[in-house]
Amino acid sequence: MLKHRGFSAWIMSNGQQLPEHLVAVDEEAHRVSCWIPGKEGQIFTVYWQDHGGKVDTCAFITLDGLTVPGRFLFGEGVASRGGVRASPETERPFVFQKVPEDNGKSDTKGPVKDAGMIILKIKRIKRVDGRPANPLQPIPSVLGKRKHSSRDTSFGEEVKAFSQHPTTWEVRPHDDDETVPGAIKPSTYVSFVFRYRSPEFLEAQGIAVEEDKPKPRPPKRQAVRRITSLPPHVHQESLSPVEPPAKKPRLSSSSTQAFPTGVRRPSAEVRRTASWNTTSSQPTVGPTESQFFLPRPKPYSATPLILPPDPDSSVTSESPDPSGGSQDSR
């Protein structure tokens, strides 16, 4: 799709938009040109769109040197033209013709130079008043009955079309586009040029790549086995990946050295909360030193002293008196 100055244009054939190659923009002339593949005898339609310019426009299409009227657009929208009017009820569709390979040389003049070229010209206008519709223009012969030197423009056989409206619009140049005061003919605001050739010619010239080149196929997905006999919730669980059981954490080297080697750890029944001494330090003795030990003194224990009774002392004992009194005995 070509775009310039708020307008776009493209060519449709067999329900598909034709690709554009080597797009070039001429800012001074407000013209965009490109190359498109056109197979001989294939019908096509010219489309264009106003992207909200809010100014009335009219269009003209030049096909292989023959100019035919286009459509009006009132500030926005899409229009198309796919043929030339042959009668008030029929038209002949646009068809790609065979373009000679030597066409386009500097010494080529006249309609032959315009062969293989589609030009869309869009003009901004002011609608003045209504007038009778354009008279039917003479159409060159059908493809293959004349030579290119006699202006052989390609059109198909007549087909049924919508009825021609009896009136059209009288137009004047838009105020912003009026270069000459009092001018009647509107100037071209933007133009789109489509040069068409056969796909083989474009490929040979390096303009386009081969269109029918097979594309790599995407890899096929493996069929997923389905289990239809299970309930939906069980079926979903069966399709979900099974996670392996979590492994128990291994004891680190620091935990294995918490107790002395060769000593069994006490069970829970006899386990105490006292701290555990890992090793007992031994005094270090040099090679020239001797070692001796003194006997450990026994702890002092006080023995009670027993004295004999004093003969002069008397022992007094008291006992209950049956009569309620007390009696002393010596």
Side-chain angles (χ1 to χ4, degrees):
M1 180 182 297
L2 305 182
K3 296 181 180 180
H4 193 52
R5 305 193 76 181
F7 290 86
S8 59
W10 63 97
I11 305 294
M12 297 286 293
S13 181
N14 290 336
Q16 295 182 352
Q17 179 181 340
L18 298 181
E20 296 99 3
H21 305 285
L22 298 182
V23 178
V25 180
D26 189 342
E27 295 289 349
E28 295 183 359
H30 306 303
R31 180 175 60 246
V32 184
S33 60
C34 68
W35 293 85
I36 60 173
K39 296 182 180 180
E40 181 182 359
Q42 194 171 14
I43 298 174
F44 66 91
T45 304
V46 182
Y47 283 81
W48 66 97
Q49 180 178 1
D50 183 353
H51 297 273
K54 306 303 179 183
V55 177
D56 295 346
T57 58
C58 66
F60 293 89
I61 300 173
T62 302
L63 174 60
D64 299 327
L66 179 66
T67 301
V68 298
R71 309 285 186 196
F72 287 96
L73 282 177
F74 306 115
E76 60 182 356
V78 180
S80 65
R81 191 69 189 262
V84 59
R85 179 68 63 177
S87 71
E89 303 293 336
T90 61
E91 68 178 13
R92 293 174 59 180
F94 297 151
V95 177
F96 290 120
Q97 68 167 329
K98 183 178 180 180
V99 183
E101 295 183 1
D102 58 350
N103 188 67
K105 293 183 178 180
S106 58
D107 57 348
T108 307
K109 298 180 181 180
V112 180
K113 184 178 181 180
D114 297 330
M117 188 178 300
I118 306 167
I119 304 175
L120 171 65
K121 296 181 179 181
I122 299 176
K123 305 174 183 288
R124 301 203 304 178
I125 60 168
K126 293 188 303 181
R127 289 176 290 168
V128 179
D129 199 0
R131 64 174 179 83
N134 297 326
L136 298 177
Q137 62 187 116
I139 303 175
S141 62
V142 184
L143 175 65
K145 291 188 177 181
R146 291 188 182 181
K147 298 181 180 179
H148 290 283
S149 59
S150 60
R151 195 175 183 177
D152 180 18
T153 307
S154 299
F155 295 98
E157 298 292 341
E158 289 189 26
V159 295
K160 186 69 176 178
F162 61 90
S163 300
Q164 184 182 21
H165 200 275
T167 60
T168 185
W169 294 99
E170 186 74 26
V171 298
R172 293 290 185 272
H174 189 261
D175 295 338
D176 297 339
D177 301 337
E178 187 176 356
T179 56
V180 180
I184 299 177
K185 186 177 180 180
S187 61
T188 301
Y189 182 73
V190 62
S191 60
F192 300 95
V193 181
F194 299 89
R195 295 183 175 89
Y196 71 88
R197 294 292 188 275
S198 64
E200 295 78 13
F201 178 84
L202 298 181
E203 294 168 9
Q205 298 297 324
I207 299 175
V209 296
E210 186 178 357
E211 297 180 357
D212 299 332
K213 186 176 181 180
K215 298 181 180 180
R217 296 182 179 180
K220 295 183 179 180
R221 296 181 58 185
Q222 296 182 357
V224 180
R225 184 180 178 183
R226 297 183 178 180
I227 304 175
T228 58
S229 60
L230 296 177
H233 65 281
V234 179
H235 176 63
Q236 293 295 334
E237 294 178 358
S238 62
L239 295 179
S240 60
V242 179
E243 298 182 358
K247 296 182 179 180
K248 295 182 179 180
R250 298 179 59 184
L251 296 177
S252 60
S253 59
S254 60
S255 61
T256 57
Q257 299 296 331
F259 300 96
T261 308
V263 179
R264 184 178 180 182
R265 187 175 183 180
S267 60
E269 291 78 6
V270 297
R271 189 178 302 169
R272 297 181 180 179
T273 58
S275 60
W276 184 277
N277 295 328
T278 56
T279 57
S280 59
S281 59
Q282 298 293 337
T284 305
V285 181
T288 59
E289 296 179 358
S290 60
Q291 185 177 10
F292 65 94
F293 299 93
L294 295 176
R296 180 179 297 179
K298 296 182 179 181
Y300 174 78
S301 60
T303 304
L305 181 61
I306 302 175
L307 298 177
D310 188 2
D312 296 333
S313 63
S314 60
V315 177
T316 304
S317 62
E318 296 182 355
S319 61
D321 186 8
S323 60
S326 61
Q327 181 179 0
D328 296 337
S329 63
R330 293 189 181 267

